[in-house]
Amino acid sequence: MPNPNIKDRAAYDALPSLNYSSIKQLLLSPAHYKRYLAEPREETKALRQGIMSHAAALEPDKFIGTYVVAPKTDKRTKEGKAAAEAFAAALQPGQIAADAEEWQLSVNLAQSFQTLVAGVGCKRFVATEFMISVEYAGVPMKCAIDAIGDDGYIYD
């Protein structure tokens, strides 16, 4: 029986269950899987961009409220350091500073995605960031679905 009680990404990530990413490691070898479980996930620029673009496409209201374009400053100067510090101090809890280029790329990707989805007949998503967990043959598994459209399709 699926567990619909997964409220957010942090709760999903905390579940000790197999998912697509962990299964890829397990298929390489048990040692790869063990290392995958033990090592914290490093936030790379690509991962950050993917998370931002994902939010822009699937949760635009959350994206707008969360990601704030940071002013371009030269932190080698006194004025630049002061401006960067003032911006950081003005961020509200939960807000994340983004540079203008990565923010705009996320917006552009979201617009392209919306055009694509509309072209296949989806007018709106009935659910986004839909996360479930199940047990199959005694093995706990979890899945995060990006979106379910009003056209009945799953978008991932």
Side-chain angles (χ1 to χ4, degrees):
M1 184 85 181
N3 175 1
N5 296 324
I6 305 170
K7 302 284 187 230
D8 57 29
R9 189 64 187 203
Y12 174 82
D13 288 341
L15 284 175
S17 304
L18 285 176
N19 65 352
Y20 177 72
S21 297
S22 62
I23 289 172
K24 284 192 306 184
Q25 298 301 312
L26 183 58
L27 288 172
L28 290 172
S29 75
H32 282 87
Y33 176 69
K34 186 175 179 182
R35 186 181 73 214
Y36 173 82
L37 293 177
E39 291 181 359
R41 193 161 89 172
E42 178 184 332
E43 184 174 301
T44 63
K45 184 174 181 173
L47 177 61
R48 178 183 163 88
Q49 184 68 64
I51 291 169
M52 277 183 56
S53 297
H54 197 265
L58 300 172
E59 302 173 296
D61 293 338
K62 182 178 175 184
F63 172 78
I64 295 298
T66 302
Y67 295 95
V68 181
V69 177
K72 192 168 189 163
T73 60
D74 184 352
K75 294 180 188 169
R76 296 173 297 176
T77 67
K78 184 177 177 180
E79 295 81 13
K81 284 180 191 174
E85 289 171 5
F87 172 79
L91 287 174
Q92 300 297 313
Q95 287 185 320
I96 300 169
D99 71 43
E101 200 172 286
E102 68 183 353
W103 190 91
Q104 190 60 54
L105 178 58
S106 294
V107 169
N108 292 348
L109 288 168
Q111 289 171 341
S112 295
F113 175 72
Q114 293 300 332
T115 301
L116 174 72
V117 169
V120 296
C122 180
K123 293 180 181 62
R124 67 181 183 86
F125 293 134
V126 295
T128 59
E129 293 294 319
F130 184 74
M131 294 169 258
I132 59 172
S133 67
V134 297
E135 189 171 299
Y136 180 75
V139 178
M141 299 179 156
K142 61 185 177 181
C143 176
I145 298 169
D146 289 339
I148 300 172
D150 61 359
D151 57 357
Y153 286 101
I154 292 173
Y155 294 87
D156 197 60

